[in-house]
Amino acid sequence: MTPTITAFESSPDRGQGLARDMRVRWALEETGQLYDVRLVSFKAMKEPAHRALHPFRQIPTYEEGELVLFESGAIVLHVAQRHAGLLPDDANARARAVMWMFAALSTMEPPILELQTAKFAEGDKPWSAQRLPLIKERIRHRLGELSTRLGDTDWLDGAFSAGDLMMVHTLQRLKPSGLLDGYPNLAAYVARAEARPAYRRAFAAQLAVFTGAHPAG
């Protein structure tokens, strides 16, 4: 059965690949799975039909038969567990890949999202100028630790996995800030992932929602 995911009808990031349906699209592309997309407006996200799928009125959601999921990390994990390509066969390596998924969401992403909130939602507050440097320093601390762990390897733990997928998509949010530029191995890590054919297909599909152009292939 072909799953259906939801995505923004009008992408807030103007097609930069940052909306969280990108993670799910990428996972499905990496595992070679067909999928359908149902676009939803901000108005529709507040209505009962969508709230029945996602109680917090966000995207993406994932529907496959009687199964309905929300939260991009949970959906990517489901896809990775059901289809080969994103989790290693070895049990220990598999557990570590899941560990890196949680690290992306629980350790790396919170301060990065805090930076976006401080800049765009709270930028007019009188205390914003004092708060931003503190947030950036917390991000640099995490980036330094991640950079040290990655070293000169291509991926976090052997072959590319769902852990890398989630980590890269999290790090991409730092591009406008320039913070990633101070860690060349992390910048190269992100670029390496973005060069993957599955990523490029997913990005083209999400970009097409904004541009109205049909992706090639």
Side-chain angles (χ1 to χ4, degrees):
M1 181 174 294
T2 302
T4 298
I5 68 172
T6 51
F8 289 124
E9 181 181 83
S10 179
S11 178
D13 70 355
R14 301 178 66 83
Q16 297 180 56
L18 300 182
R20 286 178 175 81
D21 63 287
M22 179 64 189
R23 298 169 174 176
V24 179
R25 293 175 186 268
W26 188 4
L28 290 164
E29 293 288 353
E30 287 283 355
T31 56
Q33 303 304 304
L34 297 175
Y35 62 98
D36 295 322
V37 179
R38 184 171 66 253
L39 302 179
V40 292
S41 65
F42 290 110
K43 180 177 182 295
M45 289 166 65
K46 299 177 182 179
E47 294 174 352
H50 188 75
R51 294 189 71 169
L53 303 176
H54 200 312
F56 305 112
R57 301 177 298 174
Q58 298 175 328
I59 60 97
T61 60
Y62 177 98
E63 300 166 73
E64 186 177 19
E66 296 182 356
L67 176 65
V68 177
L69 298 173
F70 62 92
E71 288 296 331
S72 61
I75 298 169
V76 170
L77 180 58
H78 169 74
V79 171
Q81 289 176 328
R82 289 282 298 273
H83 307 287
L86 282 174
L87 289 176
D89 293 331
D90 175 75
N92 289 346
R94 194 178 185 92
R96 290 193 300 270
V98 174
M99 172 189 72
W100 280 113
M101 292 183 67
F102 277 84
L105 294 172
S106 300
T107 301
M108 296 301 299
E109 191 170 57
I112 293 173
L113 292 180
E114 191 178 3
L115 176 63
Q116 292 188 315
T117 299
K119 289 177 66 174
F120 300 111
E122 302 170 351
D124 60 343
K125 305 298 182 185
W127 36 260
S128 179
Q130 288 76 37
R131 185 167 178 244
L132 277 171
L134 299 176
I135 297 172
K136 289 181 179 180
E137 186 55 36
R138 286 198 291 272
I139 293 172
R140 289 190 186 97
H141 178 70
R142 290 301 185 199
L143 290 175
E145 293 174 322
L146 182 64
S147 174
T148 297
R149 179 58 183 262
L150 180 66
D152 59 359
T153 62
D154 283 350
W155 310 114
L156 291 169
D157 194 298
F160 178 87
S161 75
D164 294 296
L165 186 155
M166 296 300 291
M167 187 65 75
V168 166
H169 194 255
T170 297
L171 294 176
Q172 284 176 318
R173 292 182 176 275
L174 289 173
K175 283 185 175 182
S177 72
L179 289 171
L180 205 58
D181 298 340
Y183 306 88
N185 66 332
L186 295 183
Y189 170 60
V190 171
R192 198 157 40 244
E194 291 175 341
R196 294 178 68 83
Y199 175 86
R200 297 173 74 87
R201 290 193 299 270
F203 182 86
Q206 193 189 61
L207 179 63
V209 175
F210 175 71
T211 63
H214 294 290

